[in-house]
Amino acid sequence: MESNFEVIIIGGSYAGLSAGMSLGRSLREVLIIDGEKPCNRQTPHSHNFITHDGKTPKEISDLAREQVEKYPTIKIINEEVLKMKKTSEDFEVETKAGRKFFAGKLILASGIKDIMPDIHGFAECWGISVLHCPYCHGYEVKNEVTGILSNGDMAFDFSKLVFNLTEDLTLFTNGKSTLSREQFEKLNKRSIKIIEDEIEKMEHKNGQIQKLIFKNGKEVSLKVLYAKIPFEQNVNTEDLGCELTDYGHLKIDGMQKTNIPGVFACGDNTTMMRSVANAVAQGNFTGAVVNKELVEEKF
């Protein structure tokens, strides 16, 4: 089965739906392909997004999809993308269901896939009591017994961000610290404890962390843990030739353009600022940019 569109959007979460609405309101023929695996699917509540503060991520995305689907030039399907490639005239997207779709423009709003560390219980707590962002969730766990799982420069910067939210903060480096002497002294001066023991597992109840248990048998009680963990792109963009940043995000310019003409990107796959509000804003802007490019090409 083959279908042609003006724009194909890979990813049907906040950024993708926002880009779709922007394009639908300009009467563009758009296909949104949603793999239904948002990175925040375990997160109980979303915050720091005015008018939606405290709603579940699914509530926000379900309402967004309902509103976007009202635009008659937009089609949404729930399938996983298998591969994408540039043809002589346009872009071809093939899904795992074996369907092929074509469009002159691609928007990659497919997010990222978090890579969980080898710590028993971590994955079950991720997004619930093991958090990635103090802006998204820090207020709800203010003044709790708090930890940070990180090391080196990233750990130092993360500690500065979280320090304002609690007076009981411990940095877990999960192995020998790579902090500089100056960083160590600054953290110590502010009574931020540093534990270098390697973590074996997290005890939790339904994703709510209770304590960390270390390989040497030590235990530390905890209510919340912030963590920076590795990630990879949700879809393989190698065949397209899209460049990545040193951090692993899709490299874009100020107009959301990748290095491949006709391929744009928005949302978590482009930035360290992983938030619903930011994804919506990026998607809205990207849709407008793509529409303007279509206008200039066809007018």
Side-chain angles (χ1 to χ4, degrees):
M1 178 182 178
E2 298 183 355
S3 298
N4 292 281
F5 297 86
E6 290 181 282
V7 184
I8 293 177
I9 300 173
I10 312 298
S13 193
Y14 314 106
L17 290 170
S18 182
M21 177 176 282
S22 186
L23 287 160
R25 292 180 61 80
S26 295
L27 304 182
R28 297 300 180 184
E29 296 289 338
V30 178
L31 173 66
I32 300 175
I33 304 176
D34 184 20
E36 298 185 289
K37 291 182 180 179
C39 63
N40 63 358
R41 54 189 176 273
Q42 284 193 177
T43 305
H45 302 283
S46 177
H47 293 282
N48 205 24
F49 182 15
I50 56 174
T51 74
H52 293 288
D53 192 49
K55 290 185 178 180
T56 68
K58 191 173 186 302
E59 278 183 286
I60 300 172
S61 59
D62 283 352
L63 178 58
R65 179 161 175 162
E66 177 186 328
Q67 293 176 344
V68 170
E69 285 182 320
K70 290 180 181 179
Y71 290 90
T73 62
I74 297 177
K75 179 179 180 181
I76 304 177
I77 62 171
N78 297 325
E79 294 186 25
E80 288 189 54
V81 170
L82 179 63
K83 56 186 177 182
M84 301 171 285
K85 68 178 182 180
K86 181 75 174 73
T87 68
S88 58
E89 297 181 353
D90 47 28
F91 295 96
E92 177 186 307
V93 178
E94 183 177 347
T95 69
K96 290 185 178 180
R99 298 204 284 177
K100 293 182 179 180
F101 304 95
F102 300 87
K105 307 290 181 187
L106 274 185
I107 297 177
L108 304 176
S110 43
I112 57 175
K113 183 188 301 179
D114 294 304
I115 301 172
M116 303 295 162
D118 187 21
I119 298 174
H120 183 73
F122 185 99
E124 290 81 0
C125 295
W126 183 241
I128 301 172
S129 59
V130 177
L131 309 174
H132 80 286
C133 175
Y135 295 108
C136 298
H137 307 290
Y139 184 84
E140 283 64 44
V141 292
K142 62 185 182 297
N143 300 322
E144 296 285 6
V145 180
T146 303
I148 296 172
L149 177 59
S150 188
N151 208 346
D153 291 341
M154 185 176 290
F156 182 69
D157 288 339
F158 216 169
S159 297
K160 289 190 289 184
L161 275 179
V162 177
F163 176 71
N164 188 56
L165 297 170
T166 179
E167 295 181 355
D168 193 335
L169 182 59
T170 302
L171 173 61
F172 302 96
T173 60
N174 197 28
K176 186 173 178 58
S177 167
T178 57
L179 294 163
S180 69
R181 182 174 180 179
E182 181 183 7
Q183 289 171 337
F184 183 91
E185 289 175 350
K186 283 187 175 181
L187 295 179
N188 188 57
K189 182 179 179 180
R190 289 162 178 78
S191 300
I192 298 175
K193 301 177 284 295
I194 301 171
I195 295 179
E196 299 179 78
D197 301 325
E198 293 186 31
I199 302 169
E200 180 176 342
K201 63 180 180 179
M202 296 181 179
E203 279 194 4
H204 68 93
K205 292 182 179 178
N206 300 318
Q208 296 292 339
I209 189 170
Q210 307 292 304
K211 64 176 67 172
L212 295 181
I213 300 177
F214 300 89
K215 293 181 179 179
N216 59 13
K218 292 181 182 178
E219 299 182 0
V220 173
S221 296
L222 208 59
K223 287 291 187 179
V224 60
L225 181 72
Y226 292 92
K228 291 287 188 183
I229 62 176
F231 66 87
E232 60 187 13
Q233 291 289 320
N234 246 334
V235 296
N236 183 2
T237 62
E238 290 182 4
D239 292 339
L240 290 173
C242 294
E243 292 181 8
L244 300 179
T245 69
D246 292 340
Y247 292 103
H249 298 104
L250 286 166
K251 184 182 289 186
I252 55 172
D253 65 11
M255 301 301 284
Q256 307 295 134
K257 297 180 180 182
T258 71
N259 61 300
I260 305 301
V263 180
F264 302 76
C266 55
D268 290 353
N269 56 4
T270 68
T271 178
M272 294 180 70
M273 186 62 180
R274 293 172 59 179
S275 74
V276 175
N278 188 58
V280 170
Q282 277 200 8
N284 179 268
F285 179 66
T286 303
V289 169
V290 172
N291 181 65
K292 183 66 162 56
E293 191 163 288
L294 289 169
V295 167
E296 295 298 330
E297 291 173 357
K298 296 181 178 183
F299 190 78

